[in-house]
């Protein structure tokens, strides 16, 4: 009989806390780095990664794929961060009488692409972030987002076409 909070893995018994600690050590640095690439703010990236782990811990026993859960949760938190940042930029523009505020994006080499990815519809944005930024294969993305593989492939294709058109329009 198993004791609550204890799991059996590879013939050894490990406490939930130890398993959680090992998961954190194995995945936090990469998750935080991935978030940093997306939000270009180290503090915000660590907050997002930390929040993803907090949400995982609160659902620990019901999560089959912790890594996938972390990245899907972080994707949603990044989206929320982008939306909040856009609201702040709009408020700053209004505050200075409609004149553009200092463009914090200009110094970043991948600014155009980042802004375009941000502008994608939620479904397309999630698959782009998970596939191209977090290196998840289509099959895993389908499982994580509860979609068919064909839908994920279609979303990726449509997102690439849309991004290509937008990038060509900027030139």
């Amino acid at each position: 009989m198993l004791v609550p909070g204890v799991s059996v893995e590879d013939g050894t018994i490990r406490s939930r806390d130890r398993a959680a600690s090992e998961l954190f050590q194995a995945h936090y640095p990469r998750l935080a780095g991935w978030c940093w690439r997306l939000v270009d703010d180290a503090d915000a990236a660590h907050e997002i990664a930390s929040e993803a782990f907090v949400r995982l811990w609160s659902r620990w026993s019901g999560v089959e794929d912790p890594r996938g859960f972390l990245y899907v949760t972080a994707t949603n938190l990044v989206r929320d961060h982008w939306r909040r940042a856009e609201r702040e930029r709009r408020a700053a523009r209004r505050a200075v009488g409609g004149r553009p505020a200092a463009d914090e994006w200009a110094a970043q080499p991948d600014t155009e692409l980042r802004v375009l990815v941000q502008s994608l519809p939620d479904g397309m944005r999630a698959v782009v972030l998970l596939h191209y930024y977090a290196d998840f294969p289509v099959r895993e993305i389908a499982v994580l987002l509860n979609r068919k593989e064909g839908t994920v492939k279609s979303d990726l294709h449509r997102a690439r076409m849309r991004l290509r058109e937008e990038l060509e329009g900027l030139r």
Side-chain angles (χ1 to χ4, degrees):
M1 181 170 109
L2 295 177
V3 177
V6 176
S7 62
V8 177
E9 186 174 296
D10 298 329
T12 62
I13 297 178
R14 297 186 309 163
S15 73
R16 174 181 177 219
D17 291 342
R18 183 170 174 198
S21 176
E22 289 173 2
L23 181 76
F24 183 84
Q25 289 173 1
H27 294 287
Y28 183 83
R30 185 166 183 207
L31 181 66
W34 178 74
C35 292
W36 193 355
R37 283 179 33 204
L38 295 173
V39 300
D40 196 38
D41 178 336
D43 292 334
H46 285 288
E47 286 178 27
I48 290 168
S50 297
E51 179 63 21
F53 272 94
V54 167
R55 291 182 184 190
L56 173 63
W57 302 154
S58 70
R59 295 170 179 82
W60 182 256
S61 61
V63 175
E64 290 183 33
D65 178 9
R67 179 176 168 260
F69 180 91
L70 289 169
Y71 277 91
V72 168
T73 301
T75 296
N76 292 331
L77 293 169
V78 164
R79 181 196 63 216
D80 293 344
H81 173 84
W82 285 344
R83 286 179 178 163
R84 191 171 39 259
E86 180 58 30
R87 284 192 304 269
E88 290 169 2
R89 280 191 289 278
R90 279 192 226 132
R93 282 193 295 271
R94 284 192 305 269
V96 295
R99 293 184 314 246
D103 189 4
E104 66 214 31
W105 296 98
Q108 303 304 319
D110 62 343
T111 300
E112 292 172 356
L113 184 58
R114 182 182 312 193
V115 171
L116 292 175
V117 169
Q118 281 178 260
S119 71
L120 290 171
D122 288 342
M124 282 188 214
R125 184 183 327 115
V127 297
V128 166
L129 292 176
L130 291 170
H131 187 68
Y132 292 109
Y133 288 81
D135 299 323
F136 278 90
V138 169
R139 177 170 288 169
E140 282 187 50
I141 295 169
V143 170
L144 292 171
L145 298 179
N146 197 27
R147 296 184 187 165
K148 294 180 180 179
E149 282 185 53
T151 303
V152 171
K153 289 177 184 179
S154 174
D155 284 346
L156 282 171
H157 175 75
R158 290 183 308 134
R160 282 192 304 269
M161 294 299 107
R162 188 170 178 166
L163 292 171
R164 181 178 294 129
E165 289 171 4
E166 295 290 332
L167 285 170
E168 288 172 357
L170 293 174
R171 293 180 187 169

